Amino acid sequence: MTEPSVTEPTVIAQGQGWLVLDKPAGQSFHSEDGEPGFFAAAEAALCQKLWPVHRLDKVTSGLVLVATSAKSAAFLSKQFAERTTSKYYLALSRQRPKKKQGIIKGDMGKARNGSYRLLRTLDNPAITRFWSRLDTSFGERLFLLKPHTGKTHQLRVAMKSLGAPIFGDTRYGGDEADRTYLHAWALEFNDGQAQQRVFSNPSGFHWPDVPDDWHDPFTDF
C-alpha cells in the first residue's frame, strides 16, 4: 500500500479537542484502491491521531471537522447525527435552474454506476434549501446551499433536479471543468465551550466573489 502523502494540510481553525481542515477537490476522504485518502494524509502530516466527525465527497472541497480525542469525537459526532450543526456550501452551474431559490425535498434512490436520483416520495427525504445569483463575470450562476440532512451525493442530486447540475460534475450532467465546483464554505458547531463559526474561501478559476449579503449566512438565512 502506498504511504500517505505528508503534504501539510491547511488548518483553518482549531480548539480544545478539534481541528477544521481544508480538503482539496478531487481527493478521496478515505483511502481507497491502495491510495491514501485525505484523512490518512492529514494524520501523517500532523503526526497525531485524529477521529473523523463527518466527511466530504471526493469531488467536494472545503471544511472538514476532525476530532483530536475520542471524547471530542463522540461529542461532535452527536451534533451531526442530531442535525444541530449548520453547514453552507457554494456551487456553480452553467445551466439555468427551474427556480432561483427555494427548498428541494425528496427521498434518494440508487441509480446506475454508484449514482443517485431524487424520488417523489417523502418517507426519509433529503432536504436542501438554496439561494442563487447570476455571476456576470463568466455567466455562471452561484448557489448557496444549506443541507438539512446528510445523504450521499445529496447536493449534487439536488442541483441536477433543479435542471442546473454543478459545473464540472459530469456524473450528474454538469459541463466539463477543471474541477467540480462544489465547496463546503461555512460551518457552525458547538465545541462544548462556545459556538464556533468557520469559513473557507474556495479555490478554482471560475469562483466569483461571495455576495456581501451572503457573508453571514448563520444570521441572514
Side-chain angles (χ1 to χ4, degrees):
M1 180 175 177
T2 305
E3 288 297 317
S5 168
V6 294
T7 301
E8 190 76 17
T10 301
V11 179
I12 300 295
Q14 58 187 311
Q16 185 72 33
W18 59 270
L19 297 170
V20 176
L21 307 178
D22 203 12
K23 176 190 167 300
Q27 185 177 21
S28 295
F29 185 82
H30 294 295
S31 301
E32 57 182 24
D33 300 326
E35 292 295 323
F38 171 77
F39 186 76
E43 283 191 313
L46 296 172
C47 299
Q48 67 181 116
K49 170 69 176 173
L50 300 174
W51 284 259
V53 175
H54 66 122
R55 62 179 294 277
L56 295 178
D57 282 349
K58 181 177 182 177
V59 302
T60 309
S61 61
L63 299 173
V64 174
L65 176 63
V66 299
T68 56
S69 71
K71 182 178 179 180
S72 291
F75 179 79
L76 295 169
S77 296
K78 183 179 179 183
Q79 292 179 60
F80 279 83
E82 295 178 349
R83 302 174 187 170
T84 57
T85 58
S86 290
K87 296 175 288 181
Y88 289 88
Y89 291 71
L90 298 174
L92 281 180
S93 180
R94 282 192 161 178
Q95 300 181 40
R96 187 174 181 176
K98 297 175 184 176
K99 53 183 180 179
K100 297 178 181 179
Q101 65 179 49
I103 295 176
I104 306 160
K105 183 185 294 187
D107 292 327
M108 300 277 289
K110 289 187 177 181
R112 295 181 179 179
N113 302 318
S115 297
Y116 291 81
R117 59 194 178 95
L118 196 69
L119 306 177
R120 294 181 180 273
T121 56
L122 297 172
D123 297 324
N124 184 24
I127 303 171
T128 304
R129 188 163 184 181
F130 73 97
W131 303 261
S132 70
R133 294 281 181 83
L134 185 64
D135 173 42
T136 56
S137 55
F138 291 103
E140 292 132 4
R141 183 167 288 273
L142 178 66
F143 288 79
L144 178 63
L145 307 172
K146 178 179 174 56
H148 291 275
T149 51
K151 311 290 187 181
T152 301
H153 291 193
Q154 175 176 326
L155 300 181
R156 300 165 68 184
V157 172
M159 290 288 288
K160 180 182 179 180
S161 75
L162 280 176
I166 296 170
F167 187 32
D169 190 6
T170 55
R171 174 185 285 270
Y172 288 105
D175 296 326
E176 292 276 357
D178 59 305
R179 58 159 292 178
T180 295
Y181 278 80
L182 178 62
H183 181 77
W185 173 58
L187 174 65
E188 181 183 50
F189 62 96
N190 189 301
D191 67 357
Q193 300 180 18
Q195 287 291 112
Q196 302 292 336
R197 293 178 176 178
V198 187
F199 293 83
S200 164
N201 290 325
S203 62
F205 181 72
H206 289 267
W207 284 115
D209 292 334
V210 177
D212 289 343
D213 57 345
W214 285 9
H215 279 181
D216 189 6
F218 305 109
T219 299
D220 298 333
F221 294 93

